[in-house]
Amino acid sequence: MPTEWLTLPEPQPTCAGAPRGTLNWSDRLRHFGLMAGKLRRNRLSLSSLARIQPATRRKVGTHMSKAQFARQLNLPETVAMSVALMAPTTAMVFVTPFLAQSAGSNVPLAFVVALIGVLIIGSSFGRLGRKYAHAGSAYGLVKDVLGPAFGVVAGWGLTFTYVLMTAALLAGTGEFSSLAIEQATGAHVPWSIPTLVGAAIVLGFALNNVRISVRMMLLLEGASMLLIIGVGVLILGHSNLSAGIAVKPFLLNSNGIVGIAHAMVFGFTSFLGFEGSATLGEESKDPKRMVPLAISFSALVGGLFFIFSSYTQTLGFGLSANAMHAFGADPAPLNTLIQKFSGSAFSASVNAGAAISFFACAVATVNGSARILFALARDGYAPKGLAGLHERSNTPRAAVFVVFPLGLALLGLGVLLFNTPANVLGDMSGLGAFGALIAYGLVVIASLTEYGRTDLAKRKVFALALPVIGLVLIGWVLYSSVYPVPASPVNYFPYVTLAYFAAVIPLSLRHRKRSAPENVSAYIESGDLTDVVSVD
């Protein structure tokens, strides 16, 4: 077999940061022996590799970008990505009435159940994250366990979610900014103006070093959450609680378990984005420790925030049947309660805080989707031009210039389809949830596949049960989202999602197949064969 066309990669930093030394010919032969063993494990033969004729020899590894992120983010900066992408403030501004419609006074109890479910799903991200660190988030975690095809589904699923959320969040930024300005000054500013201003600033942050973004996101989202906590304290101060009333929202009411189960669908989707830190797997200083910790911490803090805020809103409206009906029908419950207990001045502050939270989350979705697209392109599942990093900012600017305009375009489409920014916010977020749930399900399956046999052998019943429970919860949320059949346009969302996957996944896999010879593509997927070049 000729060896003149088989070359080893130039010395590159390994994942641990140690440089590879220059290999002499004895080392090269030893390396070739290792390669042969790996080829056999991948059910490929050396003869199939040798069948690449000189006339068709070409570089098959060049579509894989050698660009590397700088490992620069500490733990708080890594946490910031998940917190901002989850955007706890935004959920408390408009989601709680949907839970009240199903659970009545048990809204905070529904969030307790949702938190437990999210922590269970987060444990799958955590276990895989302690072994794999990847900029592609669910794509990277799934492909190394279930194979590239499933990884591609997970990656494009989260990209779908994040880009749709960008559109929704920009609409929310404009809507709540306009409302806050009008309440504070009396001047009416069309929502489109703060939306476009916010979009320009979002792009500016996304194009620059990620440390600037994550620090800003942590500061803004933290300030917004403190503002909502202040509203909750204000409500509690005016509630004159007795012990019996104080615990009633956590005691199962007449709506029963069925009411909790249906409310949990909205509670669960309030956590979407908690996995955002996984997109920083190649930028955290110690990703296999920091990323799992950031995901669990963000889910826990967000969940406790949801429970407290929904509890105070429930008490603020009152626990009677009429009060719960009013709660469920109120599109802006926080504004109603602030007007009731404080006045319009504080209401303007809360709306400004909500606008800030929407903005920070939009920065996070652009950062996250750009990194997943970068990772897909780096492995050949998207055009290779998207796999570059800007030399100065160390950001995937080419990918940003794809996902950001797509988000703006979807915002415009949403306005045409759904008429108002409030509808764009709700419907685009709801549509995006389907992509994330599919990605979450694949991560849980990957965790069960990776560790299930070992857990069973060691009789780790609890560890084995967690991903199974996680799959049941995800399945329930998906099922409840399609049956009973929801009203239009939500009833079309599952089919839009399926159409998206049916179009994007074959194109992505075909692009990868065209980028590498068929008889070595499976081996390249393992990451072991990094470069096959011609010297003709």
Side-chain angles (χ1 to χ4, degrees):
M1 171 181 171
T3 60
E4 67 270 16
W5 52 273
L6 180 62
T7 65
L8 297 177
E10 292 294 325
Q12 295 287 336
T14 64
C15 291
R20 297 185 182 127
T22 302
L23 300 180
N24 56 35
W25 275 107
S26 63
D27 290 326
R28 286 174 182 254
L29 290 173
R30 186 160 54 251
H31 178 80
F32 185 81
L34 293 173
M35 286 173 55
K38 290 174 180 176
L39 280 168
R40 284 192 295 272
R41 286 196 297 272
N42 281 279
R43 297 182 181 179
L44 294 173
S45 66
L46 288 175
S47 60
S48 68
L49 187 62
R51 282 197 295 271
I52 304 178
Q53 299 301 318
T56 61
R57 292 170 195 160
R58 61 190 181 91
K59 187 175 286 189
V60 300
T62 52
H63 67 280
M64 296 184 182
S65 167
K66 298 183 185 300
Q68 292 183 339
F69 287 105
R71 294 203 178 277
Q72 57 182 320
L73 301 180
N74 57 31
L75 181 58
E77 292 165 341
T78 305
V79 168
M81 187 67 171
S82 281
V83 172
L85 229 164
M86 187 168 55
T89 301
T90 64
M92 292 299 96
V93 168
F94 72 96
V95 169
T96 48
F98 296 104
L99 284 87
Q101 292 170 11
S102 299
S105 60
N106 280 158
V107 173
L109 179 59
F111 271 115
V112 171
V113 178
L115 172 60
I116 294 171
V118 168
L119 289 174
I120 289 172
I121 294 169
S123 68
S124 293
F125 275 92
R127 293 191 83 178
L128 292 173
R130 284 188 285 273
K131 186 172 183 180
Y132 306 105
H134 201 281
S137 184
Y139 161 65
L141 299 178
V142 171
K143 80 178 182 69
D144 287 331
V145 180
L146 301 181
F150 289 106
V152 168
V153 172
W156 285 114
L158 276 188
T159 304
F160 177 78
T161 298
Y162 291 172
V163 173
L164 281 166
M165 284 178 64
T166 300
L169 293 161
L170 289 175
T173 301
E175 173 78 351
F176 281 87
S177 295
S178 177
L179 185 58
I181 292 170
E182 187 169 2
Q183 288 177 327
T185 67
H188 175 70
V189 177
W191 70 272
S192 58
I193 294 177
T195 294
L196 293 175
V197 172
I201 301 173
V202 166
L203 179 60
F205 275 111
L207 292 176
N208 283 289
N209 189 282
V210 71
R211 296 193 77 179
I212 302 172
S213 295
V214 294
R215 290 175 178 179
M216 177 277 299
M217 291 187 294
L218 186 61
L219 177 64
L220 294 185
E221 188 60 42
S224 299
M225 291 173 68
L226 287 175
L227 195 58
I228 300 300
I229 291 172
V231 173
V233 172
L234 175 68
I235 294 171
L236 290 178
H238 288 80
S239 296
N240 298 318
L241 295 177
S242 65
I245 293 176
V247 300
K248 193 171 181 180
F250 296 102
L251 302 176
L252 197 63
N253 62 26
S254 59
N255 292 353
I257 295 176
V258 174
I260 294 292
H262 284 291
M264 196 189 74
V265 173
F266 297 100
F268 190 85
T269 53
S270 297
F271 287 87
L272 288 180
F274 79 99
E275 79 295 336
S277 295
T279 61
L280 303 179
E282 296 175 30
E283 296 171 84
S284 296
K285 292 179 180 178
D286 186 5
K288 294 181 180 179
R289 179 181 69 88
M290 290 182 179
V291 170
L293 184 59
I295 291 173
S296 298
F297 179 79
S298 301
L300 181 60
V301 170
L304 294 176
F305 176 79
F306 291 153
I307 293 166
F308 174 76
S309 183
S310 64
Y311 174 71
T312 59
Q313 290 183 43
T314 302
L315 292 177
F317 275 91
L319 303 180
S320 67
N322 288 337
M324 286 299 99
H325 178 75
F327 187 13
D330 197 325
L334 270 181
N335 274 324
T336 300
L337 293 172
I338 293 167
Q339 293 281 356
K340 177 180 177 181
F341 293 115
S342 178
S344 59
F346 195 24
S347 179
S349 299
V350 171
N351 286 324
I356 289 171
S357 179
F358 282 116
F359 167 78
C361 188
V363 176
T365 57
V366 174
N367 278 334
S369 56
R371 278 156 177 75
I372 297 172
L373 184 57
F374 163 87
L376 288 165
R378 181 176 58 187
D379 289 351
Y381 296 105
K384 64 180 181 180
L386 302 177
L389 294 176
H390 188 262
E391 183 177 355
R392 181 176 57 82
S393 64
N394 198 232
T395 56
R397 285 193 173 183
V400 169
F401 281 123
V402 171
V403 297
F404 179 77
L406 276 176
L408 280 182
L410 287 170
L411 172 59
L413 179 63
V415 173
L416 291 176
L417 294 176
F418 308 129
N419 299 320
T420 68
N423 289 341
V424 173
L425 172 60
D427 290 331
M428 287 290 188
S429 299
L431 176 58
F434 285 92
L437 290 170
I438 291 170
Y440 292 174
L442 287 171
V443 170
V444 174
I445 293 172
S447 176
L448 187 61
T449 302
E450 181 80 356
Y451 299 105
R453 186 174 297 178
T454 302
D455 290 339
L456 186 63
K458 295 182 178 180
R459 298 181 179 179
K460 294 182 177 180
V461 178
F462 183 72
L464 188 63
L466 287 180
V468 175
I469 296 171
L471 282 177
V472 171
L473 290 173
I474 293 170
W476 167 253
V477 173
L478 286 170
Y479 173 79
S480 299
S481 299
V482 298
Y483 187 83
V485 178
S488 179
V490 180
N491 58 321
Y492 295 108
F493 289 174
Y495 308 106
V496 173
T497 305
L498 290 175
Y500 163 81
F501 280 114
V504 171
I505 302 304
L507 287 174
S508 185
L509 294 176
R510 192 175 300 118
H511 185 277
R512 178 64 178 85
K513 188 176 181 179
R514 287 198 305 264
S515 301
E518 183 177 353
N519 54 353
V520 297
S521 60
Y523 186 56
I524 296 172
E525 295 293 356
S526 71
D528 297 317
L529 182 60
T530 56
D531 219 359
V532 179
V533 300
S534 170
V535 295
D536 294 343

